[in-house]
Amino acid sequence: MASPAAVDNWTQEAIDQDEMVLNMGPQHPSTHGVLRIELRTDGEVVKAARPHIGYLHRCFEKHSENVDFPGVIPYTDRMDYVASMGNSLGYALAVEKLMGIEVSPYVQTIRVIMAELQRIASHTIAVGTYGMDIGAFTPFLHLLRDREKILDLFEWTCGARLLYNYNWIGGLSHDVPDGFVKACRQFLREFEARTYPELVDLLIGNKIFIKRTAEIGVCPVDLAISYDLTGPNLRGSGPARDLRKDEPYCGYEKYDFAVPVGKGEHGPLGSCFDRNWVRTAEMAESAKILHQAIDALEKMEKADVREKVPKRVKPNKGEVYARSEAPRGQLGYFIVADGTAVNPYRVKVKSPCFTAMSIFHVLARGMYIADIIALIGSLDVVLGEIDR
């Protein structure tokens, strides 16, 4: 028993009500990395939950003040480290907005291709590990097989498989190699003909999976909005909010695709099932975008992808906020330049994972202990982006 001085009010309340305080994590993969969850339980029922973050000590925002603007890009890769292309894209868009740089349609099209390949790769991890978290191992292997194919395309293009430093301010680090379009088409054929039907058959349409997820972690739309959820976590509750449609960037307004939303077909709207259904359906929509972007790229003349990259990135005094639709939701960068240095005066990140984790204690209340892992996985958080 801890001494009275070491017990905080939250724990003291549990003691007063004769509840058990249970620590879950930090471990992997059940709690998606270095996340510790403290639960107050009455038998098998969770009465209250408290997430503890801050184990990674990434210090991204402070690091950014001590390197030049291009030097920040490798740090952005390390936030959501399974969706790095989206991180660097959002940062590049923000600095380009600050400096008034407009990249060529050729660069924009390649950025869309890379962003949508990354979205598929990210969702294969999200949905695959979610199934594994609650006992379904085989779909994880099928999805990781296709993720490796995407990583092969990334490695072929820029030499890296996880942290890319690919989207530069004003352009890209590398053009796509000869044969990239053909290889990308081959991947899409295999994904659409085999992997996606396998995923729906083995996991999403599985009766056990539906029973396990369709009535837990229910997030009503008003609650999702009040906690500023974005991305699949918001769309799982019904609203078709997607920055690629609402505030298009990189020419997304030219592409025909749908915004999947939760439907509550197997239980209440906004459940763990709905959030994962949205991620699954988004993979198919990303494939549609990729077909269109590849067709457009084939018709374009090759251009210098570094044509608009400044020799020296030193913005005038000012500040900017720009956001993009990353795989886990709206990723925003607030950047301040003082006009006297090549380093940012301030870089602040609006993380979709941080806002998703902020609603956890509300959704967890009243759940069974065994369902807590299913709830964490359905929110699809990456702790590198939370602990900035």
Side-chain angles (χ1 to χ4, degrees), residues 118-128 232 279 282-283 327 380:
Q118 183 72 90
R119 196 178 310 277
I120 294 175
S122 175
H123 286 345
T124 58
I125 285 284
V127 179
R279 294 184 184 99
E282 280 187 3
M283 287 191 261
D380 187 26

Side-chain angles (χ1 to χ4, degrees), residues 24-37 373 376 383:
M24 184 174 286
Q27 64 212 31
H28 188 79
S30 313
T31 49
H32 292 241
V34 283
L35 172 64
R36 172 186 167 221
I37 303 293
I373 296 300
I376 297 171
L383 271 293

Side-chain angles (χ1 to χ4, degrees), residues 82 86 93 137 160 175 212 222 232 282 309 369-370:
V82 295
L93 290 173
F137 186 70
D175 197 350
R212 186 77 172 81
D222 56 343
E282 280 187 3
V309 176
I369 295 173

Side-chain angles (χ1 to χ4, degrees), residues 43-249:
E44 289 291 312
V45 177
V46 174
K47 306 295 285 189
R50 184 165 63 171
H52 293 268
I53 62 175
Y55 292 90
L56 280 176
H57 308 293
R58 284 292 170 88
C59 299
F60 160 75
E61 294 173 346
K62 197 63 182 175
H63 278 312
S64 300
E65 298 174 13
N66 294 279
V67 296
D68 60 14
F69 280 89
V72 173
I73 293 171
Y75 289 108
T76 67
D77 285 340
R78 287 158 174 79
M79 293 191 302
D80 181 354
Y81 38 78
V82 295
S84 299
M85 284 290 185
N87 299 347
S88 59
L89 174 59
Y91 175 77
L93 290 173
V95 180
E96 287 164 6
K97 183 178 178 181
L98 182 63
M99 298 183 68
I101 297 173
E102 185 173 346
V103 300
S104 68
Y106 185 76
V107 169
Q108 286 189 349
T109 305
I110 294 176
R111 283 179 170 181
V112 168
I113 291 171
M114 296 303 177
E116 296 309 316
L117 284 172
Q118 183 72 90
R119 196 178 310 277
I120 294 175
S122 175
H123 286 345
T124 58
I125 285 284
V127 179
T129 56
Y130 186 64
M132 191 167 63
D133 282 349
I134 57 179
F137 186 70
T138 303
F140 172 75
L141 298 178
H142 289 239
L143 290 168
L144 263 287
R145 174 193 64 208
D146 278 52
R147 178 176 180 264
E148 285 298 308
K149 296 173 184 176
I150 294 174
L151 298 192
D152 286 343
L153 292 172
F154 288 162
E155 184 180 22
W156 188 20
T157 301
C158 67
R161 295 181 66 82
L162 190 69
L163 308 170
Y164 308 107
N165 187 21
Y166 186 68
N167 290 290
W168 284 8
I169 299 164
L172 307 168
S173 66
H174 298 79
D175 197 350
V176 292
D178 294 337
F180 178 90
V181 167
K182 181 179 179 181
C184 197
R185 287 194 191 282
Q186 179 63 28
F187 162 75
L188 289 172
R189 279 194 293 271
E190 294 171 357
F191 176 80
E192 293 174 319
R194 182 172 61 171
T195 305
Y196 191 77
E198 284 176 345
L199 171 60
V200 174
D201 184 44
L202 285 173
L203 186 66
I204 303 302
N206 186 291
K207 291 182 179 179
I208 299 173
F209 181 78
I210 293 171
K211 187 73 173 176
R212 186 77 172 81
T213 60
E215 296 187 3
I216 64 170
V218 177
C219 181
V221 63
D222 56 343
L223 184 66
I225 292 172
S226 67
Y227 274 85
D228 196 25
L229 292 188
T230 59
N233 289 323
L234 174 62
R235 293 191 283 273
S237 296
R241 296 285 299 166
D242 190 315
L243 288 175
R244 295 173 296 171
K245 289 281 192 183
D246 303 334
E247 298 177 18
Y249 55 92

Side-chain angles (χ1 to χ4, degrees), residues 65 67 69 98 312-320 335-347:
E65 298 174 13
V67 296
F69 280 89
L98 182 63
R312 188 163 182 254
V313 181
K314 187 180 178 183
N316 294 326
K317 184 177 181 180
E319 59 185 48
V320 69
I335 301 174
V336 179
D338 64 8
T340 64
V342 294
N343 297 359
Y345 179 77
R346 187 77 174 94
V347 176

